[in-house]
Amino acid sequence: MRKAIFALSQINELILTENDELELFRKLANLIVDKIGYTECIVGKVDEETKLIDKLFIRAKLKEAEKLTKKHLIGVDPEKPYGRGSASKAYQSKKVILIPEVKTNPNMAYWNEFYINFNIHSACSIPIIKNERVEYIIILLDTTPYAFDENHMELLERLQLNLSFALEKIQNQKDMALFNEALEKTHEWAIITNRDGVILKANKAVSDISGYSRNELLGKKPNIFKSGYHDKKFYENLWNTILSGKTFSAKFTNKTKNGSIFYLDSLITPILHNGEVYRFVDLSRNITKEVIYSERLKFQSSLYNILFHLTNISTQIKSKREYLKKLTKLFVKFAQINISFMIKVHNNKIIITNTTAKNRKYKDMTKKLQVIINNNPLLAIPALKTLKNGRVYIQNNAMDEKLKPISEIATIYGIGSCCSIPIKEKGKTEAALVLVSTQKNIFDKKLFELVNTVAKQIEVTLGKIDKERFLNIVLTAINIGFEFVFIVDKNLKFVYINDSLKKVSGYSNKDVINKSLIDFLVKDEDKDSIKNLITKLKTGESISKAITYRKKDGKLESFLATITPHKENDSVEYFIGVGKQITPENDLLNELNKLLHYDSLTGLLNSKAFVESIEKFLIRAKKEELIGAIAVINPLSFKNINEAFGFETGNQILTQVAQRLKSATFNYDIVAKLESDRFGIILKDLKKEEDSLIALERILKELAKPYRINNSNIILSFNIGLSLYPKDGTSTKELLNKAQIALADARSRGEDRIGFFRKNFETKATKLIKLKAELESALHNNEFKPYYQPCVDRNGLIMGAEALIRWIKNDKIIPPSEFISQLEQSELIIKVEDKFIESVVSFISQTKKEGIPPYPIAINLSIKSLNSKDLFERVILKIKQNKIDTRYLKFEIVERAFLEKFEHLNKLILRFREKGISFSVDDFGTGYSSLSYLAKLPVDFLKIDMSFIRALSDEKTRNIVRSIIFLAKELNIQTIAEGVETKEQFDILKEMGCSCFQGYLFYRPMPESDFKSLLMERKNGQIR
């Protein structure tokens, strides 16, 4: 006890005089051993990565003890044997830990050898706390038993408290020195942080500028002031600089507690201690007023720049929608606006559109803003005032509490000012253009006047666009609505001819422009008539006359023309002629029909004819119970093609799209050109719904190829909307509407997508397409393997086997039920069965070479393989190449194969029989069971379907099976019972006279290696 009291007094004197942490603990270790008399003292710090104690100072009475202590591990991880001692417990609990007798404490066992060597009996670990964490651990060892027990606890805890206080005192003294130094350098912003950036000190100016109290700042990091202006790279550069010991200077855009922006010109200096970065001092000058004034000048300059760009784009933009979209982008790009958007009323609801923002977070802001405005329609905010009064309105402090709840949004997103500009057309306010800045008070009187000028410029430009749009509509109507349209000046010289006139006459602009109309007329009477009519036309009247003219190829054509004078300032300056070629009545009717039902550009059916075609198909489909599909196809961003390359290029691409659609569909399918740039397709007579998806995938692949126009490759993306008859609808209107809905679904999911009205169909169809691709891959990777299931005679002896196709994928067997149906419906089945036959023939050949008696192997053939032209030749070639006896190869066919191509099948079987290959009818009784076909077909075996075998307990089923066996015997055909699973079934079938048996009672299907092993085991004459 006296030692402890003496230690406390000596250490307190040391604490009062020492101002350096490490020096304090070095002297402490020496004092404890040299003056107080304890055997050993260790001062260390915990390495958080290794969980080992880094021994900073070791002092012992014996130098040998010091050396060994350096080598011994001391840790704080309880999972390790050296991490269970008093130091670990002190670290975990932050309390003084006493070990009165180390040799009897199991947790101290790791160091027993050391304790024995130096006669250590007692130990004590004291955690020293700094900033609420264990900064140092002091370990005391003594040769006296019970030198540290509960009687010493109070004194040792006081020692712990005094040392922790000493650390805090030393830290505070350093901080104060640093802080005073910082305050001497600046009268404004001053902050001190630790190495991790935690704020330790902040002067009054920090609170005045940021709005946070000192208590709110202490313990926080400077990112509390982050405005979102600076990117990640900026902060990475900051930290890399100051952690390397260098000073970092920059201008910061920060945010106050209430969300407004302020600016600092900052100098961040790292403070080194013992050669390492220890603290950071941030000394900054508040430059907010300077920046706002500068930003205002920049903003004023940018508005002049905007006026220039508005004038510039007005000569390039052709549509109102494109212009309004560019408006918001212009202001964000050139006017130093953080966010710009349009706000308008639609169906009595406020909607926000055309949002452009410098930061993605602001787009979330507009969504919230739209909800707030709709819930508070009487808010006195600039945008609503503009919509109501048609004037420019400004709000220089968006965080003003009078604007609640808008001000709350402004505070969250750091919005300072906003301005609302009316978008007017023909004097009526259609929308408001809202400009938002993070700066407060950015709009002064001069800027207000500039904004008004911008508003007037927008109104003028929209008027111009509207006028040009109307002129384009008229010009388009002229180009496509009449056979002839021409304009001549008052001297009868051509200034314009439309596309139709060029096409019919063969003349180009170069051939006719500035040449006289009279020169193209053939008859003198026409020439004289036109000259005489000029006088009449100048009175303002219109005239109609049949005129004969000479085409470029020399042929003569007549047309009926109506010529109308066009006056400017009460004087006739031009004559406008419209006309129709005079043709025989039948030709006229054909032309009329073409105009009514076909698209003039692509030659495809038009929308009207497409609807009529759907209705015709539906009448037949309902009667014949057919499946069909309606697809609407839309090239994406086609407007951009027209704008970038011109309408002529756009028309060439549409023509190529039409040609590709025709080539990618069957002759009986319908392809049409719908409104604008859309196309429609009727997929007729589908076998199943999923076939529509396969067809559309093929079409989409064809459409995605580059379009070669004027030595340039143009890439287009498409979306397709699909509806199916009869599942999605039974009327034309219903199917088209649902195809349009499906098209919207496709657009929402990206480019080159097919949209579906029914999601469950999409899942099912996509799954089948994926399966098709996997089947192709399986064929390529040789994943289809034969499994052999023996069949036995009445005595249970093997007399042959059936080769069953199995798909081995990733060492797993895929059940045939999951792929056989899809495989049989595709052309892939022919290739799969061809490889399968080759595998079986090779197996028969191999067993023969190995001295194993061969047995007949039966292979199932699909209808597609049976109908393939070269099946016979391929099979015979494989037999010859492998040198096997044809008697050991058999084929099985299903009943429905009889009906599809009976004559072909009959001839095929006869050709194989001539070569010694026999045939079986598989699954007999489940299909058409046509006895007449059975009598005519030269088959040798009849396989009774397992569904009959499983139901043998039923008397009627037994009678059916008995009849099949009897009938087969009468036709000299052997019977094979499939799916025999019980001895009772086997006995019944034997009693009925069945020839062969196959099923789990005897053998399950097995891989080639197992089947070969089975045959080897029975090699000694046990199998007939």
Side-chain angles (χ1 to χ4, degrees):
M1 179 70 75
R2 280 181 296 174
K3 271 188 182 180
I5 294 171
F6 179 63
L8 187 60
S9 65
Q10 292 294 307
I11 290 169
N12 283 345
E13 287 181 19
L14 181 61
I15 288 170
L16 291 172
T17 58
E18 190 54 58
N19 292 320
D20 182 274
E21 275 185 21
L22 292 178
E23 189 62 19
L24 170 68
F25 284 109
R26 186 186 69 78
K27 290 179 178 179
L28 175 71
N30 293 340
L31 186 149
I32 285 173
V33 174
D34 298 342
K35 284 192 176 183
I36 299 171
Y38 286 118
T39 304
E40 186 170 356
C41 175
I42 305 163
V43 179
K45 288 185 81 167
V46 174
D47 186 318
E48 293 298 336
E49 287 188 11
T50 63
K51 296 298 180 184
L52 291 172
I53 293 177
D54 182 11
K55 297 181 276 289
L56 302 175
F57 304 105
I58 303 170
R59 186 67 171 172
K61 288 183 177 180
L62 298 174
K63 292 299 179 182
E64 187 63 28
E66 287 183 5
K67 290 179 182 178
L68 285 175
T69 299
K70 286 180 182 178
K71 294 179 181 180
H72 278 126
L73 295 176
I74 306 175
V76 295
D77 183 357
E79 298 296 320
K80 308 292 184 185
Y82 51 77
R84 300 169 187 162
S86 61
S88 175
K89 295 187 182 303
Y91 176 78
Q92 306 295 341
S93 65
K94 297 184 180 179
K95 295 179 180 178
V96 175
I97 300 298
L98 309 176
I99 308 293
E101 179 54 69
V102 295
K103 294 176 183 176
T104 59
N105 191 312
N107 292 324
M108 307 296 281
Y110 179 80
W111 303 278
N112 266 350
E113 186 179 346
F114 176 86
Y115 297 151
I116 292 169
N117 287 342
F118 296 100
N119 195 33
I120 302 298
H121 284 273
S122 303
C124 166
S125 289
I126 306 169
I128 308 304
I129 312 300
K130 180 180 178 182
N131 294 330
E132 298 184 357
R133 61 189 290 272
V134 176
E135 189 74 10
Y136 298 94
I137 295 178
I138 299 171
I139 304 171
L140 304 180
L141 303 175
D142 200 37
T143 54
T144 305
Y146 291 88
F148 307 110
D149 59 15
E150 290 301 325
N151 296 325
H152 298 83
M153 180 60 80
E154 185 178 350
L155 289 172
L156 291 170
E157 285 177 343
R158 193 178 301 170
L159 175 62
Q160 176 196 25
L161 187 64
N162 289 351
L163 284 169
S164 296
F165 170 77
L167 293 186
E168 185 177 349
K169 181 205 76 169
I170 292 169
Q171 184 62 54
N172 286 339
Q173 286 173 345
K174 286 182 181 177
D175 289 346
M176 285 303 297
L178 291 170
F179 194 67
N180 290 333
E181 182 184 345
L183 289 178
E184 287 175 5
K185 292 181 180 179
T186 179
H187 63 280
E188 293 194 22
W189 179 285
I191 282 179
I192 296 176
T193 74
N194 65 13
R195 181 185 171 87
D196 297 323
V198 176
I199 297 173
L200 305 176
K201 296 287 182 181
N203 70 348
K204 182 175 180 295
V206 174
S207 295
D208 293 341
I209 295 169
S210 70
Y212 292 98
S213 69
R214 294 196 197 187
N215 288 337
E216 288 175 318
L217 292 172
L218 296 181
K220 301 293 190 304
K221 292 186 177 182
N223 60 13
I224 194 173
F225 308 117
K226 266 190 180 181
S227 64
Y229 176 83
H230 303 288
D231 60 16
K232 185 180 178 182
K233 191 174 180 181
F234 174 87
Y235 290 107
E236 286 177 351
N237 182 36
L238 185 159
W239 279 103
N240 289 337
T241 301
I242 59 179
L243 286 173
S244 69
K246 297 176 183 177
T247 299
F248 180 86
S249 63
K251 290 182 174 60
F252 284 78
T253 302
N254 291 334
K255 188 166 67 174
T256 66
K257 183 179 179 181
N258 67 10
S260 61
I261 299 297
F262 67 97
Y263 301 87
L264 295 176
D265 188 358
S266 300
L267 187 72
I268 303 175
T269 304
I271 304 301
L272 303 181
H273 180 64
N274 292 331
E276 292 185 355
V277 174
Y278 172 68
R279 294 285 186 268
F280 298 110
V281 179
D282 174 9
L283 305 177
S284 303
R285 186 169 62 89
N286 186 3
I287 57 171
T288 304
K289 289 181 180 179
E290 298 170 26
V291 171
I292 288 175
Y293 181 77
S294 174
E295 290 296 322
R296 190 173 287 166
L297 285 176
K298 287 180 185 177
F299 187 53
Q300 180 180 324
S301 175
S302 68
L303 282 182
Y304 283 114
N305 195 17
I306 283 290
L307 281 170
F308 164 78
H309 284 287
L310 287 176
T311 304
N312 191 33
I313 68 168
S314 67
T315 63
Q316 304 168 7
I317 301 293
K318 300 302 180 186
S319 73
K320 169 188 167 183
R321 184 179 178 187
E322 185 183 2
Y323 179 73
L324 294 179
K325 258 189 171 182
K326 287 218 170 184
L327 268 184
T328 57
K329 291 179 180 177
L330 277 176
F331 278 95
V332 172
K333 184 176 181 181
F334 295 108
Q336 299 182 2
I337 289 295
N338 296 86
I339 178 170
S340 176
F341 56 85
M342 295 285 180
I343 186 166
K344 62 182 180 180
V345 180
H346 181 71
N347 293 333
N348 296 321
K349 288 272 188 182
I350 291 292
I351 61 169
I352 293 176
T353 62
N354 294 353
T355 300
T356 303
K358 286 186 176 176
N359 191 306
R360 184 179 293 274
K361 69 176 183 178
Y362 294 124
K363 292 195 176 183
D364 296 331
M365 182 196 81
T366 57
K367 293 177 184 177
K368 296 176 183 177
L369 190 62
Q370 182 171 300
V371 174
I372 289 173
I373 294 174
N374 279 304
N375 291 336
N376 303 272
L378 299 178
L379 283 172
I381 59 173
L384 295 184
K385 288 180 181 179
T386 295
L387 288 174
K388 182 179 179 182
N389 303 318
R391 291 170 45 204
V392 172
Y393 284 90
I394 283 171
Q395 178 64 48
N396 268 322
N397 182 10
M399 299 179 192
D400 191 335
E401 289 193 358
K402 295 176 184 177
L403 298 176
K404 276 188 176 181
I406 297 295
S407 59
E408 295 171 349
I409 291 287
T411 301
I412 292 169
Y413 290 92
I415 302 304
S417 309
C418 72
C419 169
S420 180
I421 302 171
I423 303 298
K424 291 186 177 182
E425 288 184 76
K426 298 175 183 177
K428 183 182 176 183
T429 302
E430 298 291 341
L433 170 62
V434 180
L435 311 177
V436 179
S437 172
T438 54
Q439 301 298 320
K440 286 184 180 179
N441 304 309
I442 199 165
F443 298 97
D444 60 10
K445 185 177 180 181
K446 192 165 185 178
L447 287 176
F448 182 82
E449 292 171 0
L450 264 175
V451 171
N452 271 297
T453 304
V454 169
K456 289 173 185 176
Q457 177 66 34
I458 292 170
E459 185 176 4
V460 169
T461 302
L462 286 174
K464 177 176 173 288
I465 290 172
D466 190 61
K467 187 176 180 180
E468 287 179 353
R469 182 177 65 87
F470 180 77
L471 288 175
N472 283 333
I473 291 169
V474 172
L475 186 60
T476 302
I478 288 171
N479 261 327
I480 67 173
F482 298 95
E483 192 158 303
F484 293 153
V485 177
F486 63 86
I487 301 173
V488 295
D489 62 16
K490 58 186 177 183
N491 298 316
L492 298 183
K493 290 187 176 181
F494 284 101
V495 295
Y496 170 81
I497 61 172
N498 75 339
D499 292 344
S500 296
L501 182 51
K502 292 175 192 174
K503 188 175 181 181
V504 173
S505 68
Y507 293 114
S508 65
N509 281 339
K510 186 178 179 181
D511 297 325
V512 298
I513 299 303
N514 292 324
K515 294 180 181 177
S516 175
L517 168 63
I518 302 297
D519 295 340
F520 294 86
L521 300 180
V522 177
K523 298 178 181 179
D524 289 336
E525 63 184 57
D526 287 342
K527 296 180 180 181
D528 294 336
S529 180
I530 290 295
K531 291 175 181 177
N532 293 331
L533 287 171
I534 295 304
T535 304
K536 185 178 181 181
L537 286 169
K538 286 182 178 179
T539 64
E541 297 178 15
S542 298
I543 62 101
S544 294
K545 178 169 177 46
I547 299 172
T548 301
Y549 74 104
R550 189 183 304 281
K551 299 201 303 182
K552 189 171 183 177
D553 61 9
K555 294 180 180 179
L556 302 182
E557 291 285 354
S558 297
F559 66 96
L560 182 63
T562 298
I563 303 175
T564 304
H566 173 76
K567 288 186 176 183
E568 290 180 2
N569 299 323
D570 294 326
S571 173
V572 174
E573 295 295 327
Y574 298 95
F575 299 96
I576 301 169
V578 297
K580 176 74 180 173
Q581 189 171 352
I582 299 173
T583 60
E585 184 176 339
N586 285 343
D587 290 344
L588 190 60
L589 287 173
N590 289 336
E591 284 293 308
L592 182 61
N593 179 63
K594 196 172 179 181
L595 288 171
L596 289 173
H597 294 92
Y598 289 86
D599 174 65
S600 61
L601 176 64
T602 62
L604 299 176
L605 292 177
N606 60 19
S607 295
K608 181 176 182 296
F610 186 64
V611 170
E612 291 173 358
S613 298
I614 296 174
E615 289 172 351
K616 287 178 184 177
F617 169 72
L618 292 183
I619 292 171
R620 184 169 69 87
K622 289 171 186 174
K623 185 177 179 180
E624 299 177 17
E625 298 183 347
L626 302 173
I627 298 173
I630 306 300
V632 177
I633 302 173
N634 182 33
L636 302 183
S637 303
F638 197 77
K639 179 185 173 188
N640 295 338
I641 298 292
N642 286 330
E643 291 172 353
F645 300 95
F647 285 95
E648 186 174 346
T649 297
N651 288 343
Q652 289 180 48
I653 292 175
L654 290 176
T655 303
Q656 287 191 28
V657 170
Q659 292 168 353
R660 293 188 188 187
L661 289 174
K662 289 291 288 183
S663 66
T665 52
F666 294 110
N667 292 335
Y668 51 80
D669 293 331
I670 300 293
V671 181
K673 172 72 170 60
L674 308 182
E675 70 281 355
S676 184
D677 51 11
R678 293 189 180 188
F679 295 81
I681 294 179
I682 308 173
L683 298 172
K684 297 182 181 180
D685 304 352
L686 300 171
K687 290 183 179 179
K688 55 186 185 302
E689 289 185 335
E690 293 78 17
D691 289 346
S692 63
L693 186 56
I694 295 169
L696 293 182
E697 290 279 4
R698 182 178 67 247
I699 289 168
L700 205 53
K701 186 177 180 181
E702 184 66 26
L703 292 177
K705 294 176 182 176
Y707 293 83
R708 188 72 175 171
I709 306 290
N710 298 328
N711 296 322
S712 296
N713 283 331
I714 297 174
I715 305 295
L716 273 182
S717 298
F718 292 78
N719 283 140
I720 302 178
L722 177 71
S723 64
L724 290 152
Y725 171 86
K727 289 287 183 69
D728 292 337
T730 56
S731 71
T732 301
K733 183 178 180 181
E734 194 176 10
L735 288 168
L736 281 173
N737 285 343
K738 290 181 178 177
Q740 295 287 1
I741 293 170
L743 183 62
D745 169 63
R747 277 199 300 267
S748 70
R749 293 188 287 134
E751 299 179 353
D752 294 325
R753 298 283 185 159
I754 300 171
F756 306 86
F757 182 75
R758 279 181 291 130
K759 294 300 172 191
N760 59 343
F761 167 71
E762 178 184 5
T763 303
K764 181 181 176 185
T766 304
K767 184 179 179 181
L768 285 175
I769 286 179
K770 183 183 177 185
L771 175 59
K772 184 174 181 293
E774 289 178 340
L775 289 172
E776 290 177 349
S777 177
L779 174 62
H780 181 265
N781 297 328
N782 200 28
E783 293 174 2
F784 296 108
K785 303 292 183 183
Y787 267 49
Y788 297 86
Q789 186 176 26
C791 56
V792 302
D793 63 11
R794 297 169 64 84
N795 298 315
L797 298 177
I798 295 174
M799 57 183 297
E802 179 182 4
L804 301 165
I805 191 166
R806 290 293 183 266
W807 180 8
I808 313 299
K809 183 180 180 184
N810 299 327
D811 297 325
K812 292 183 181 179
I813 300 176
I814 308 298
S817 59
E818 291 186 14
F819 71 92
I820 285 293
S821 175
Q822 179 69 16
L823 189 60
E824 288 182 342
Q825 291 172 23
S826 72
E827 295 301 319
L828 203 63
I829 187 67
I830 298 173
K831 294 181 180 178
V832 171
E833 289 182 341
D834 187 71
K835 263 197 171 184
F836 191 79
I837 293 169
E838 190 170 332
S839 297
V840 172
V841 170
S842 176
F843 172 76
I844 295 171
S845 175
Q846 190 63 33
T847 54
K848 180 183 175 183
K849 289 176 183 177
E850 293 176 15
I852 302 171
Y855 296 95
I857 307 293
I859 300 172
N860 286 280
L861 286 180
S862 66
I863 294 174
K864 286 188 181 291
S865 286
L866 289 167
N867 290 333
S868 61
K869 293 181 180 179
D870 59 345
L871 173 66
F872 178 83
E873 288 74 17
R874 285 188 280 113
V875 171
I876 297 304
L877 179 62
K878 289 174 175 52
I879 290 172
K880 287 180 179 179
Q881 288 173 339
N882 287 276
K883 299 177 182 179
I884 68 166
D885 192 325
T886 55
R887 291 176 301 164
Y888 299 118
L889 183 65
K890 294 164 57 179
F891 289 128
E892 295 183 3
I893 57 176
V894 293
E895 286 184 62
R896 65 178 182 277
F898 305 166
L899 300 182
E900 295 196 6
K901 289 187 177 180
F902 178 81
E903 289 301 325
H904 166 76
L905 184 59
N906 192 39
K907 289 178 183 178
L908 183 66
I909 293 175
L910 286 172
R911 289 183 74 189
F912 276 116
R913 278 176 63 88
E914 287 175 3
K915 296 292 184 180
I917 298 172
S918 59
F919 273 69
S920 304
V921 176
D922 196 15
D923 301 335
F924 187 79
T926 61
Y928 298 94
S929 302
S930 174
L931 299 180
S932 61
Y933 285 135
L934 190 60
K936 294 175 185 177
L937 281 173
V939 297
D940 301 286
F941 295 89
L942 199 65
K943 297 190 78 172
I944 305 169
D945 187 74
M946 65 176 63
S947 59
F948 291 99
I949 307 305
R950 288 172 179 168
L952 279 175
S953 57
D954 176 70
E955 185 176 350
K956 289 183 179 180
T957 304
R958 284 201 303 274
N959 289 334
I960 292 171
V961 174
R962 187 176 283 111
S963 298
I964 292 172
I965 294 171
F966 174 78
L967 174 66
K969 282 183 178 179
E970 290 298 309
L971 295 173
N972 199 27
I973 298 173
Q974 293 190 62
T975 50
I976 302 173
E978 287 183 302
V980 179
E981 296 178 338
T982 66
K983 188 174 184 304
E984 183 183 1
Q985 292 170 349
F986 183 39
D987 291 338
I988 293 171
L989 290 164
K990 282 196 295 183
E991 184 269 329
M992 290 180 178
C994 185
S995 311
C996 309
F997 310 84
Q998 187 179 2
Y1000 287 0
L1001 178 64
F1002 312 106
Y1003 301 98
R1004 290 175 176 267
M1006 61 189 76
E1008 184 177 285
S1009 57
D1010 291 356
F1011 182 51
K1012 187 186 287 186
S1013 298
L1014 176 66
L1015 296 182
M1016 286 289 287
E1017 290 173 6
R1018 297 178 177 265
K1019 181 179 176 182
N1020 299 321
Q1022 297 179 29
I1023 307 175
R1024 286 206 298 267

